[in-house]
Every structure is written in structure tokens, then in C-alpha cells.
Amino acid sequence: MKGANVDRALALLDRSGVNVCSDEILFNTVLETCTRHRQLHRIETLIATFQASKMRPSVHTFGSLIKACSTLKSPEKCRTFWKTMVQDNGMQPNAIVLGCMLDALVCNGEVDRSIKGVDSKGFFLGQCSFMAKVFSGVSLPHRTAADNAKHALY
């Protein structure tokens, strides 16, 4: 969708009065659209709405939340959602969610944390085999940091 079309679609959703947290697929679609089009204020509102809801998110939804928080430049929120997923809900992240988390750390200047893998809170599982997949998709400004992290692992 182009920018004007995104704005029109989101305005239509606003006017409808639909609670985006009433359906997980709807929530993911809106959150991922806002993330892709860098609708930062809407992302913040969606996350607040999600946190106030009773939605029981899937692993996919946690990945979307982590990616959205990364777009907001909020690695602390990324870690909070990761902890909720892994420790509080006992879910196992898949490769996509792991990639979202690693990308969030690298793109927000926390390469050292992504290399270390596990901090004192057991925040991150030692699944470094996925690192190469993530580094291949790292944006150019973060490429040097990502390459340094990859070399430190291998």
C-alpha cells in the first residue's frame, strides 16, 4: 500500500469502531502495516491497546510486537515481550521471532547483547545458529556491527 492508501485504510478502521484486539489476525495485520509504514504514533497506541486487552497472543504475534517495538527504537520493550513469551507463557520462539529479536538488538545498537546470548535474567536463549540468517538481512547502516558480531560467534 502507498502512504495515502494506508492512511485512508487506517482512517476507515478508526471510523468503524472495531476493537483491533478482538481478533488476533486483525491485530497482527494492523500492527504489521503500521510497522511497515512507520506509523509510530499508531504503533504506540496499538501496543497500549494490546497491553490493556485480554488477548492471549501466539508466537507470531509476539514477533510482530517485537518488530514494532524495534521500529519505535525501544529494545527494552522488545525484551519485555520476549520475556513474557518465553518465561511467563512458556512459549518457544520460532526462527522468525528469533530473527525479529536479533534484528531489534542489532538495529538498536545492542550487538554485544545479541552476541552474549544469555544475560542474568535468562533473557535470550543460546540459539546462535540462526544468526547467519538474521545478519544476511541486516540493513546497511548496521552491516559493520552485524559482521563484527557474526565473526565473534564463528
Side-chain angles (χ1 to χ4, degrees):
M1 273 194 224
K2 299 289 182 193
N5 290 338
V6 170
D7 291 338
R8 287 184 13 218
L10 293 173
L12 176 64
L13 183 64
D14 292 342
R15 287 191 306 272
S16 74
V18 171
N19 175 2
V20 295
C21 289
S22 64
D23 179 79
E24 189 173 9
I25 294 171
L26 174 62
F27 176 76
N28 284 331
T29 301
V30 174
L31 183 61
E32 290 169 11
T33 298
C34 291
T35 300
R36 183 177 305 112
H37 294 279
R38 305 194 53 77
Q39 299 276 327
L40 303 182
H41 178 69
R42 285 188 180 273
I43 294 170
E44 290 171 347
T45 301
L46 285 166
I47 290 172
T49 302
F50 164 77
Q51 290 175 318
S53 78
K54 295 182 193 255
M55 183 188 296
R56 308 272 299 151
S58 65
V59 170
H60 175 90
T61 300
F62 277 111
S64 296
L65 288 162
I66 290 167
K67 187 172 183 174
C69 290
S70 176
T71 300
L72 294 174
K73 304 285 186 211
S74 182
E76 191 57 45
K77 283 184 182 178
C78 296
R79 284 190 289 277
T80 298
F81 282 123
W82 180 272
K83 179 186 173 296
T84 300
M85 178 184 63
V86 174
Q87 292 179 354
D88 300 345
N89 293 351
M91 295 175 162
Q92 186 68 32
N94 60 25
I96 294 169
V97 177
L98 181 62
C100 289
M101 189 64 205
L102 288 171
D103 187 63
L105 292 172
V106 170
C107 291
N108 286 288
E110 298 198 11
V111 175
D112 289 341
R113 195 162 209 161
S114 66
I115 293 171
K116 289 177 185 168
V118 179
D119 70 7
S120 61
K121 299 174 189 162
F123 142 73
F124 200 54
L125 303 174
Q127 301 178 15
C128 295
S129 62
F130 293 107
M131 293 291 269
K133 291 179 188 176
V134 174
F135 290 131
S136 65
V138 171
S139 60
L140 196 54
H142 306 288
R143 183 69 52 140
T144 303
D147 287 341
N148 290 342
K150 185 167 78 172
H151 292 299
L153 286 171
Y154 299 108

